[in-house]
Amino acid sequence: MTAPIPGDIPDLPAIPRTHALLPSFVPASAVVPPVRRPLAACLRLLLAGAAAAGVALALLLGSPLRVLSNFSVQSNILLALVTLLSARRAWTARRPLPSALTGAALLYAMITGLVYHLLLADTATPFSVTHTGTAPSGWHAVANHLLHTVTPAAAVLDWLLLTSPDRLRLRQAATWMVYPLAYLLFSLARAQLILPGTPGRYLYPFLDVEAHGYKDALANCLLLGLSFYALAVLLVALDHTRPNPTRHRTKTGFRLQPPVG
């Protein structure tokens, strides 16, 4: 015989909370173990060496002040430093450098290569970072090709083959334009400190105010600036659509079976 069920069951008292729930911060390395990438480190070390060799060769062949005033030389110095740090992080299994920094180095290297091959390589006046007036030959040509062809192409290949995608952000594109604008102001200010008619007063022909006047020179700069920004936006868009070359399958110790039934 069972006891009758009471009609009204009294509410149970609430269990008092003895402690507050604290958020738990788990490092990413505890979930996904860091992976050393010696091959990527070696290839990036070679890229940094090529950029440094181009800069060093140009400094030996030309005036240091003139050589260091070139956008292509400055972008290669930045590329060498950033790639060297990236190589070290890949070798020691550390987190990659911020995408704002690596994206800026890549963009400036691409600008260096595209501007040279589209605007400067086939002009009537030969362009060189080491001297003016004659076409570069010998070691001058080697330095020219290292700075304007080898390192920009290698930087693009490093981005496509050795770098994880979906890291660049659209808001970074406007920030990357600060350096080209600062270089324009530097180049115009530098020209004012050099006597008119001096060879090499304007390092790039599209900035030559003596030949084109301020109106046309600034129009050239505006067109180039818009092109650089479009290139930066395209770089971000491609980074979000390209495949992941660094994807690898992590072994978990068990296999998922298909559902039964």
Short mmCIF file of all heavy atoms in Angstrom, two decimals, residues 61 116 120-121 125-145 148:
data_model
loop_
_atom_site.label_atom_id
_atom_site.label_comp_id
_atom_site.label_asym_id
_atom_site.label_seq_id
_atom_site.Cartn_x
_atom_site.Cartn_y
_atom_site.Cartn_z
N LEU A 61 77.59 50.88 -54.06
CA LEU A 61 77.77 51.41 -55.42
C LEU A 61 77.38 52.87 -55.56
O LEU A 61 77.85 53.53 -56.50
CB LEU A 61 76.94 50.57 -56.40
CG LEU A 61 77.33 49.09 -56.53
CD1 LEU A 61 76.33 48.36 -57.41
CD2 LEU A 61 78.74 48.95 -57.08
N TYR A 116 58.18 50.08 -60.64
CA TYR A 116 59.39 49.98 -61.46
C TYR A 116 59.09 49.37 -62.82
O TYR A 116 59.49 49.90 -63.86
CB TYR A 116 60.45 49.15 -60.72
CG TYR A 116 61.69 48.90 -61.55
CD1 TYR A 116 62.63 49.91 -61.72
CD2 TYR A 116 61.90 47.69 -62.19
CE1 TYR A 116 63.77 49.71 -62.50
CE2 TYR A 116 63.03 47.47 -62.96
CZ TYR A 116 63.96 48.49 -63.11
OH TYR A 116 65.08 48.28 -63.89
N LEU A 120 58.89 52.70 -64.81
CA LEU A 120 60.28 53.14 -64.81
C LEU A 120 61.21 52.30 -65.67
O LEU A 120 62.23 52.80 -66.15
CB LEU A 120 60.83 53.15 -63.38
CG LEU A 120 60.08 54.02 -62.38
CD1 LEU A 120 60.64 53.83 -60.98
CD2 LEU A 120 60.14 55.48 -62.78
N ALA A 121 60.90 51.04 -65.88
CA ALA A 121 61.86 50.14 -66.54
C ALA A 121 62.08 50.49 -68.00
O ALA A 121 63.20 50.37 -68.51
CB ALA A 121 61.39 48.70 -66.40
N THR A 125 64.65 57.83 -69.98
CA THR A 125 65.70 58.10 -69.01
C THR A 125 65.87 56.89 -68.11
O THR A 125 64.95 56.54 -67.38
CB THR A 125 65.36 59.34 -68.15
OG1 THR A 125 65.14 60.46 -69.02
CG2 THR A 125 66.49 59.65 -67.19
N PRO A 126 66.99 56.20 -68.15
CA PRO A 126 67.17 54.99 -67.34
C PRO A 126 67.04 55.30 -65.85
O PRO A 126 67.54 56.32 -65.36
CB PRO A 126 68.58 54.52 -67.70
CG PRO A 126 68.90 55.19 -69.00
CD PRO A 126 68.18 56.50 -68.96
N PHE A 127 66.38 54.42 -65.14
CA PHE A 127 66.21 54.59 -63.69
C PHE A 127 67.15 53.65 -62.95
O PHE A 127 67.29 52.48 -63.31
CB PHE A 127 64.77 54.30 -63.28
CG PHE A 127 64.56 54.37 -61.78
CD1 PHE A 127 64.38 55.59 -61.17
CD2 PHE A 127 64.57 53.21 -61.02
CE1 PHE A 127 64.20 55.66 -59.80
CE2 PHE A 127 64.39 53.28 -59.65
CZ PHE A 127 64.20 54.51 -59.03
N SER A 128 67.78 54.19 -61.92
CA SER A 128 68.66 53.39 -61.08
C SER A 128 68.69 54.02 -59.70
O SER A 128 68.59 55.25 -59.56
CB SER A 128 70.08 53.33 -61.65
OG SER A 128 70.96 52.67 -60.76
N VAL A 129 68.81 53.19 -58.68
CA VAL A 129 68.89 53.71 -57.31
C VAL A 129 70.30 54.15 -56.96
O VAL A 129 70.51 54.79 -55.93
CB VAL A 129 68.41 52.65 -56.30
CG1 VAL A 129 66.96 52.30 -56.52
CG2 VAL A 129 69.28 51.40 -56.37
N THR A 130 71.28 53.81 -57.78
CA THR A 130 72.67 54.10 -57.45
C THR A 130 73.25 55.30 -58.19
O THR A 130 74.15 55.96 -57.70
CB THR A 130 73.55 52.87 -57.73
OG1 THR A 130 73.36 52.45 -59.09
CG2 THR A 130 73.17 51.73 -56.80
N HIS A 131 72.76 55.58 -59.42
CA HIS A 131 73.29 56.70 -60.17
C HIS A 131 72.24 57.13 -61.20
O HIS A 131 71.21 56.48 -61.36
CB HIS A 131 74.60 56.33 -60.87
CG HIS A 131 74.44 55.27 -61.91
ND1 HIS A 131 74.32 53.94 -61.59
CD2 HIS A 131 74.35 55.34 -63.27
CE1 HIS A 131 74.20 53.23 -62.70
NE2 HIS A 131 74.20 54.05 -63.73
N THR A 132 72.49 58.23 -61.88
CA THR A 132 71.57 58.75 -62.88
C THR A 132 72.31 58.97 -64.20
O THR A 132 73.53 59.10 -64.23
CB THR A 132 70.97 60.09 -62.42
OG1 THR A 132 72.03 61.02 -62.17
CG2 THR A 132 70.14 59.92 -61.16
N GLY A 133 71.55 59.01 -65.29
CA GLY A 133 72.11 59.38 -66.57
C GLY A 133 72.38 58.23 -67.50
O GLY A 133 72.29 58.37 -68.71
N THR A 134 72.76 57.07 -66.98
CA THR A 134 73.08 55.92 -67.82
C THR A 134 72.30 54.70 -67.34
O THR A 134 71.92 54.61 -66.16
CB THR A 134 74.58 55.61 -67.80
OG1 THR A 134 74.99 55.35 -66.45
CG2 THR A 134 75.38 56.78 -68.35
N ALA A 135 72.09 53.78 -68.25
CA ALA A 135 71.38 52.56 -67.90
C ALA A 135 72.23 51.73 -66.94
O ALA A 135 73.45 51.63 -67.13
CB ALA A 135 71.05 51.76 -69.16
N PRO A 136 71.63 51.15 -65.91
CA PRO A 136 72.42 50.34 -64.97
C PRO A 136 72.97 49.10 -65.64
O PRO A 136 72.30 48.43 -66.43
CB PRO A 136 71.39 49.98 -63.87
CG PRO A 136 70.07 50.11 -64.53
CD PRO A 136 70.21 51.21 -65.54
N SER A 137 74.20 48.80 -65.34
CA SER A 137 74.87 47.62 -65.89
C SER A 137 75.77 47.03 -64.81
O SER A 137 76.12 47.68 -63.83
CB SER A 137 75.68 47.97 -67.13
OG SER A 137 76.69 48.93 -66.81
N GLY A 138 76.17 45.78 -65.02
CA GLY A 138 77.06 45.13 -64.07
C GLY A 138 76.39 44.97 -62.71
O GLY A 138 75.24 44.55 -62.59
N TRP A 139 77.15 45.32 -61.67
CA TRP A 139 76.63 45.20 -60.31
C TRP A 139 75.49 46.17 -60.05
O TRP A 139 74.63 45.91 -59.20
CB TRP A 139 77.75 45.42 -59.30
CG TRP A 139 78.72 44.29 -59.23
CD1 TRP A 139 80.02 44.28 -59.66
CD2 TRP A 139 78.47 42.98 -58.72
NE1 TRP A 139 80.59 43.06 -59.45
CE2 TRP A 139 79.66 42.23 -58.86
CE3 TRP A 139 77.36 42.37 -58.14
CZ2 TRP A 139 79.77 40.91 -58.45
CZ3 TRP A 139 77.46 41.04 -57.74
CH2 TRP A 139 78.65 40.33 -57.89
N HIS A 140 75.47 47.31 -60.76
CA HIS A 140 74.35 48.24 -60.63
C HIS A 140 73.05 47.57 -61.08
O HIS A 140 72.00 47.74 -60.45
CB HIS A 140 74.61 49.49 -61.46
CG HIS A 140 75.80 50.28 -61.00
ND1 HIS A 140 75.72 51.27 -60.04
CD2 HIS A 140 77.11 50.22 -61.38
CE1 HIS A 140 76.91 51.80 -59.85
NE2 HIS A 140 77.78 51.19 -60.66
N ALA A 141 73.11 46.81 -62.18
CA ALA A 141 71.92 46.11 -62.65
C ALA A 141 71.52 45.00 -61.67
O ALA A 141 70.33 44.74 -61.48
CB ALA A 141 72.19 45.53 -64.04
N VAL A 142 72.51 44.34 -61.07
CA VAL A 142 72.20 43.30 -60.09
C VAL A 142 71.45 43.89 -58.90
O VAL A 142 70.43 43.34 -58.45
CB VAL A 142 73.49 42.61 -59.64
CG1 VAL A 142 73.21 41.65 -58.47
CG2 VAL A 142 74.14 41.85 -60.79
N ALA A 143 71.93 45.01 -58.38
CA ALA A 143 71.24 45.67 -57.27
C ALA A 143 69.84 46.10 -57.66
O ALA A 143 68.88 45.95 -56.90
CB ALA A 143 72.05 46.88 -56.79
N ASN A 144 69.71 46.63 -58.89
CA ASN A 144 68.41 47.07 -59.37
C ASN A 144 67.41 45.92 -59.42
O ASN A 144 66.25 46.05 -59.00
CB ASN A 144 68.56 47.70 -60.75
CG ASN A 144 67.93 49.07 -60.84
OD1 ASN A 144 67.89 49.81 -59.86
ND2 ASN A 144 67.44 49.42 -62.01
N HIS A 145 67.84 44.77 -59.94
CA HIS A 145 66.93 43.63 -60.07
C HIS A 145 66.63 43.00 -58.72
O HIS A 145 65.51 42.50 -58.50
CB HIS A 145 67.52 42.60 -61.03
CG HIS A 145 67.46 43.02 -62.47
ND1 HIS A 145 66.27 43.25 -63.14
CD2 HIS A 145 68.43 43.26 -63.38
CE1 HIS A 145 66.51 43.60 -64.38
NE2 HIS A 145 67.82 43.63 -64.56
N HIS A 148 63.99 45.47 -57.13
CA HIS A 148 62.73 45.73 -57.82
C HIS A 148 62.06 44.48 -58.40
O HIS A 148 60.88 44.56 -58.79
CB HIS A 148 62.95 46.73 -58.96
CG HIS A 148 63.47 48.05 -58.50
ND1 HIS A 148 64.78 48.43 -58.68
CD2 HIS A 148 62.87 49.08 -57.87
CE1 HIS A 148 64.96 49.65 -58.19
NE2 HIS A 148 63.81 50.06 -57.68
#
